[in-house]
């Protein structure tokens, strides 16, 4: 079949795998597949540290600006809200976010 999606809509996919033995929290497990966003966060953290350590060169500031833009465009500043919304849609309560996956039965 076909899926028609408006050009301004971002589609996400999360593999459904058994996580009963996971040592991660529900929140950590839910965001674990957001690899592009986590990679962008690392680039942003690195660029931020370079500037915080005193490198105010044009190259360092451009790198920081580019890293911030990419992180924002990927939804980095809304990640927590996105994860919580997905978890709520799956039937989890807010307080479940900090529970270990292994603490759930079945």
């Amino acid at each position: 079949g076909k899926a028609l999606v408006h050009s301004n809509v971002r589609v996400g996919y999360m593999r459904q795998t058994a996580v009963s033995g996971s040592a991660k929290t529900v929140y950590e497990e839910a965001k674990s597949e957001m690899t592009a966003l986590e990679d962008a966060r690392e680039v942003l953290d690195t660029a931020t540290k370079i500037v915080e350590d005193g490198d105010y060169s044009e190259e360092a500031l451009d790198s920081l600006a580019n890293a911030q833009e990419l992180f924002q465009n990927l939804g980095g500043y809304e990640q927590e809200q996105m994860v919580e919304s997905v978890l709520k849609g799956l039937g989890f309560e807010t307080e479940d976010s900090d529970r270990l996956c292994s603490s759930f039965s079945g």
Side-chain angles (χ1 to χ4, degrees), residues 2-12:
K2 291 184 180 181
L4 302 177
V5 180
H6 191 276
S7 62
N8 293 333
V9 173
R10 196 171 42 185
V11 176

Side-chain angles (χ1 to χ4, degrees), residues 20-89:
S20 59
S22 174
K24 295 179 182 177
T25 65
V26 172
Y27 180 86
E28 292 168 336
E29 194 65 57
K31 77 172 195 168
S32 67
E33 293 295 321
M34 300 173 119
T35 55
L37 183 53
E38 292 304 314
D39 291 346
R41 181 187 311 277
E42 287 181 27
V43 171
L44 177 58
D45 289 346
T46 300
T48 299
K49 178 147 180 42
I50 289 170
V51 173
E52 286 176 346
D53 288 348
D55 184 350
Y56 302 112
S57 67
E58 186 174 341
E59 180 182 348
L61 294 175
D62 284 346
S63 292
L64 178 57
N66 292 335
Q68 287 174 325
E69 183 177 9
L70 176 61
F71 186 71
Q72 181 176 350
N73 289 343
L74 290 173
Y77 296 110
E78 295 86 30
Q79 182 182 27
E80 185 174 333
Q81 292 83 7
M82 284 189 292
V83 171
E84 292 294 338
S85 176
V86 167
L87 291 175
K88 184 175 182 176

Side-chain angles (χ1 to χ4, degrees), residues 82-102:
M82 284 189 292
V83 171
E84 292 294 338
S85 176
V86 167
L87 291 175
K88 184 175 182 176
L90 293 171
F92 288 97
E93 300 294 330
T94 303
E95 57 272 10
D96 292 335
S97 293
D98 294 326
R99 287 179 58 189
L100 294 177
C101 291
S102 59

